[in-house]
Amino acid sequence: EAGVAQSPRYKIIEKRQSVAFWCNPISGHATLYWYQQILGQGPKLLIQFQNNGVVDDSQLPKDRFSAERLKGVDSTLKIQPAKLEDSAVYLCASSFDLAGGREQYFGPGTRLTVT
Amino acid sequence: SQQGEEDPQALSIQEGENATMNCSYKTSINNLQWYRQNSGRGLVHLILIRSNEREKHSGRLRVTLDTSKKSSSLLITASRAADTASYFCATDNAGNMLTFGGGTRLMVKP
């Protein structure tokens, strides 16, 4: 079974530029998550999708971050414009559904450096 | 905000020794999960313990949960160099949305 795919793996941009990350979850997984992991910290949930609908985006900085999962499969996370403090690893995860206790499967992440 | 806080932040042991990591959290939970993250990689689910359970085993892993103290511990027995990684606890209090702690960095020396 293929795992969660993410691209690109690394990205370096200057502040005020825009960037987009792509995630392909495990086939058949209805729930998709985007996390931000700053160096030395644990992951922080940014947004949770169930199929193509947003379940929770309370920690997504909506003035600069946006995410979509139009067909309920792949998802993109965009930052526009980027700030220095956005430097982090962006992790995508998926689970079969959002029932409590479902194991989340994580992708390898995209490491973003904003200079 | 991070609900879980791990202790210690870093731990260095010799191969064959046991490693114990602790996690404290603030609000009521449905379940608590432990994840491992190797350097530069994604997270891997290790074990889940539900709020009505007190102890769970999986191979060399033993997890305990004390809901009255809002704390959990992860014990890795007979550690191996391959166990070197960061370990995170994560609490789920609704809808499978996880809140992670800051992690414990474990180094196992051969």
Side-chain angles (χ1 to χ4, degrees):
Chain A
E1 176 182 85
V4 176
Q6 290 188 248
S7 68
R9 290 296 312 277
Y10 305 92
K11 189 75 176 179
I12 300 174
I13 62 172
E14 295 182 351
K15 59 184 179 183
R16 290 187 290 273
Q17 287 187 325
S18 63
V19 64
F21 312 126
W22 173 83
C23 173
N24 182 237
I26 291 173
S27 177
H29 280 194
T31 312
L32 184 146
Y33 315 79
W34 282 102
Y35 291 87
Q36 179 193 57
Q37 186 176 22
I38 292 171
L39 185 65
Q41 299 182 16
K44 182 180 83 170
L45 179 66
L46 294 176
I47 189 167
Q48 179 187 21
F49 291 95
Q50 176 68 4
N51 297 312
N52 61 352
V54 175
V55 176
D56 187 274
D57 63 358
S58 58
Q59 298 196 90
L60 188 73
K62 299 180 189 63
D63 57 335
R64 298 182 301 105
F65 286 64
S66 64
E68 59 183 15
R69 194 185 184 199
L70 293 176
K71 297 183 179 179
V73 180
D74 294 6
S75 176
T76 56
L77 176 69
K78 296 179 182 177
I79 307 175
Q80 182 181 11
K83 293 185 175 181
L84 294 177
E85 59 260 36
D86 298 332
S87 293
V89 176
Y90 290 85
L91 295 163
C92 179
S94 69
S95 63
F96 182 74
D97 58 28
L98 48 67
R102 289 292 191 201
E103 180 176 343
Q104 294 187 23
Y105 295 82
F106 283 79
T110 296
R111 183 177 298 275
L112 173 68
T113 302
V114 182
T115 62
Chain B
S1 64
Q2 297 194 316
Q3 150 118 283
E5 294 297 331
E6 280 92 338
D7 169 56
Q9 290 187 330
L11 180 61
S12 181
I13 59 174
Q14 294 293 136
E15 206 165 27
E17 294 180 338
N18 296 341
T20 299
M21 289 159 263
N22 303 296
C23 168
S24 60
Y25 57 92
K26 298 174 185 173
T27 64
S28 62
I29 61 172
N30 291 332
N31 64 75
L32 185 145
Q33 304 177 33
W34 286 88
Y35 283 80
R36 183 186 73 224
Q37 185 175 39
N38 291 89
S39 180
R41 310 282 285 274
L43 283 83
V44 174
H45 182 268
L46 294 176
I47 195 166
L48 177 150
I49 187 165
R50 300 189 186 280
S51 60
N52 61 353
E53 296 176 312
R54 293 295 168 258
E55 187 170 313
K56 208 160 180 184
H57 296 256
S58 177
R60 294 184 295 114
L61 305 181
R62 172 179 170 257
V63 170
T64 62
L65 179 64
D66 186 336
T67 53
S68 66
K69 294 182 179 178
K70 293 188 170 58
S71 67
S72 173
S73 68
L74 171 67
L75 168 68
I76 305 174
T77 60
S79 63
R80 305 166 182 168
D83 294 328
T84 294
S86 291
Y87 291 81
F88 296 90
C89 69
T91 54
D92 172 8
N93 52 15
N96 217 30
M97 289 185 290
L98 299 181
T99 303
F100 284 83
T104 292
R105 294 185 306 281
L106 173 66
M107 174 168 291
V108 181
K109 301 179 211 173

